[in-house]
Amino acid sequence: MTTHLFGRSMRHDPPKAVAGDGCYLIDADGKRYLDGSGGAAVSCLGHSNAAVRAALHAQIDRLAFAHTGFFTSDPAEQLADRLAAHAPPGLDRVYLVSGGSEAVEAALKLARQYFVEIGQPQRHRVIARQQSYHGNTLGALAAGGNAWRRAQFAPLLAQTSHIAPCYEYRERQAGEIAEAYGLRAAQALEDEILRLGPETVMAFIAEPVVGATAGAVPAVPGYLRRVREICDRYGVLLILDEVMCGMGRTGHLFACEEDGVAPDILTIAKGLGAGYQPIGALLCQAAIYDALAAGSGFFQHGHTYMGHPIAAAAAHAVLGEILDWNMLTRVREQGEKLGEALKATLGDHPNIGDIRGRGLFRGIELVADRESKTPFDAARKLHARIKAEAFAAGLICYPMGGTVDGVSGDHVLLAPPFIIEDDQIGELVEKLDMAIHRALAT
């Protein structure tokens, strides 16, 4: 044993990261790695942002921690104010936690308590989508629809209904326009609500752009608007999970802005702290907060480090960098360049089935045959080979398996820092192309 640290894998010891420089991470041997996925769509500002580091230094000199059972703090208040000021319509209250899984867990519990408070305790059912991912705590994992992640923990998970995803590449029929497919995909939600009994359903949860488990799959035009209408018709809360796709990643501060939809509850994390501190949040409609305020007067939930002053200070500085320096425009511009570079290099590759995404959130789906869209044999673990080849070449990317159904399929997720330059886009695509070719050759 070379370490006492309980890491992610017991098969190998990863290199030790010792420094960050813009879009690069540097290991103990001095090797530089282009962070083509922002870790897991986290490091949106790169690894050496001066303003965020200065905010951390300043805050730790003033106040490190004050438990929210006794105090609020300036950083938490300022962060909540700024998030609410830029949030989709009606999202007025901000509940700060320490990460994405905590945010989703809190969202599910808030939805349940809301219906208890307004006299509809029979509403307890959650509907989600197949191939979704909402976190690793038991409630969030139960909501998620990825078979591989759920399998061994299934006996511990609350029952959740999973409907078909909005997955244009595989589910849109020949001759069907995107908008028609979106309405058809959304109809699965209404069908499931009616099957379960509308009076029993409390929430539908979805990622506007599906991240880790499917590889940057965006909703087609009109899909989320129709989902919003269905939820309103039956009194079901709409929870949008933007833990991975939010905070500017798609070119809008909140991904659902592009779809013209405001949810009842929205979850964020990852890019909110940009890797400088662990932080997440849920935002909710004023009506939900007001129902609790007029009833029990408290949310029966909480975490020790929620609203942590240093984490909130970091997130407030991150938001400042994104909003004050016009990063959202940059994300759209650089994202378009990344998409074009991927298509120019890999668009005609016989084993690349789809290149998709929004902003600097891009996915590549690999197939054994383009015409039939047949995935590679899962036993081959092509995604793992691509990850290893890319890492050896000095590129961090985020390949995953089980893209199609939780077992079969391979994709690569890309989510580089918003500060990525044109030549670094070229480096990313060149190294990814090489990794794919080497992985397919083995």
Side-chain angles (χ1 to χ4, degrees), residues 29 61 74 110 120 142 151 171 177 199 224 243 251 259 274 284 290 298 328 331 348-349 361 365 379 397 417:
D29 295 324
D61 287 339
D74 283 337
L110 179 60
Q120 298 182 35
E171 300 296 333
I177 64 172
E199 71 283 355
L224 284 178
V243 166
D259 300 282
C284 73
D290 292 344
F298 79 109
L328 299 176
V331 169
D348 294 327
H349 193 290
F361 199 46
E365 185 167 341
C397 58

Side-chain angles (χ1 to χ4, degrees), residues 97-186:
V97 292
S98 296
S101 294
E102 283 187 15
V104 170
E105 199 84 8
L108 295 170
K109 291 177 73 175
L110 179 60
R112 170 60 183 166
Q113 186 171 337
Y114 167 72
F115 282 115
V116 172
E117 298 268 0
I118 66 170
Q120 298 182 35
Q122 72 277 11
R123 288 190 185 263
H124 67 282
R125 297 185 183 276
V126 175
I127 301 174
R129 302 187 297 184
Q130 297 157 10
Q131 279 307 90
S132 58
Y133 177 67
H134 298 296
N136 267 330
T137 53
L138 289 176
L141 188 62
N146 181 260
W148 175 74
R149 285 171 168 80
R150 292 170 54 91
Q152 65 177 319
F153 303 108
L156 304 178
L157 303 181
Q159 185 177 0
T160 303
S161 295
H162 291 98
I163 62 173
C166 185
Y167 190 176
E168 183 179 14
Y169 172 63
R170 292 195 171 271
E171 300 296 333
R172 179 177 161 190
Q173 297 172 356
E176 185 177 33
I177 64 172
E179 289 79 2
Y181 165 61
L183 294 177
R184 179 167 64 84

Side-chain angles (χ1 to χ4, degrees), residues 228-239:
R228 175 75 273 182
E229 292 170 358
I230 293 168
C231 288
D232 288 342
R233 176 181 299 171
Y234 297 103
V236 173
L237 295 182
L238 174 59
I239 302 173

Side-chain angles (χ1 to χ4, degrees), residues 209-251:
V209 184
V210 183
T213 50
V217 177
V220 297
Y223 171 80
L224 284 178
R225 287 194 297 275
R226 179 58 180 153
V227 162
R228 175 75 273 182
E229 292 170 358
I230 293 168
C231 288
D232 288 342
R233 176 181 299 171
Y234 297 103
V236 173
L237 295 182
L238 174 59
I239 302 173
L240 291 183
D241 177 357
E242 296 199 4
V243 166
M244 184 170 268
C245 65
M247 291 293 96
R249 175 55 59 188
T250 65

Side-chain angles (χ1 to χ4, degrees), residues 188-433:
L189 172 60
E190 184 169 31
D191 293 346
E192 186 64 7
I193 290 173
L194 293 173
R195 187 187 75 82
L196 294 171
E199 71 283 355
T200 72
V201 181
M202 74 175 192
F204 174 62
I205 182 170
E207 301 163 87
V209 184
V210 183
T213 50
V217 177
V220 297
Y223 171 80
L224 284 178
R225 287 194 297 275
R226 179 58 180 153
V227 162
R228 175 75 273 182
E229 292 170 358
I230 293 168
C231 288
D232 288 342
R233 176 181 299 171
Y234 297 103
V236 173
L237 295 182
L238 174 59
I239 302 173
L240 291 183
D241 177 357
E242 296 199 4
V243 166
M244 184 170 268
C245 65
M247 291 293 96
R249 175 55 59 188
T250 65
H252 297 268
L253 191 62
F254 298 94
C256 61
E257 292 178 287
E258 185 163 340
D259 300 282
V261 171
D264 299 295
I265 301 174
L266 185 145
T267 61
I268 52 176
K270 294 187 184 291
L272 176 61
Y276 290 91
Q277 283 285 287
I279 189 168
L282 74 77
L283 289 76
C284 73
Q285 292 282 339
I288 295 175
Y289 178 89
D290 292 344
L292 272 64
S296 64
F298 79 109
F299 180 24
Q300 192 176 329
H301 187 62
H303 295 279
T304 298
Y305 287 110
M306 60 182 286
H308 194 280
I310 296 176
H316 189 260
V318 168
L319 267 181
E321 291 292 277
I322 293 172
L323 295 172
D324 296 343
W325 293 99
N326 204 22
M327 285 280 185
L328 299 176
T329 298
R330 181 178 178 82
V331 169
R332 292 191 289 271
E333 292 173 349
Q334 296 303 95
E336 186 66 24
K337 292 175 184 177
L338 175 58
E340 290 174 356
L342 289 168
K343 289 174 183 176
T345 302
L346 295 168
D348 294 327
H349 193 290
N351 299 120
I352 303 298
D354 193 29
I355 299 172
R356 55 192 176 232
R358 295 178 183 173
L360 284 170
F361 199 46
R362 301 283 166 166
I364 300 164
E365 185 167 341
L366 294 108
V367 291
D369 179 76
R370 281 179 63 142
E371 185 174 351
S372 65
K373 302 181 182 179
T374 303
F376 284 94
D377 183 355
R380 186 172 179 177
K381 295 186 176 180
L382 179 61
H383 60 282
R385 296 184 184 190
I386 293 172
K387 181 179 180 179
E389 292 289 353
F391 197 69
L395 172 66
I396 301 167
C397 58
Y398 197 159
M400 288 296 297
T403 311
V404 178
D405 56 10
V407 178
S408 300
D410 301 271
H411 70 263
V412 179
L413 182 65
L414 300 171
F418 301 169
I419 61 172
I420 191 167
E421 300 287 350
D422 291 0
D423 61 335
Q424 293 167 338
I425 289 174
E427 179 186 351
L428 188 162
V429 174
E430 180 183 353
K431 288 182 175 179
L432 179 60
D433 179 40

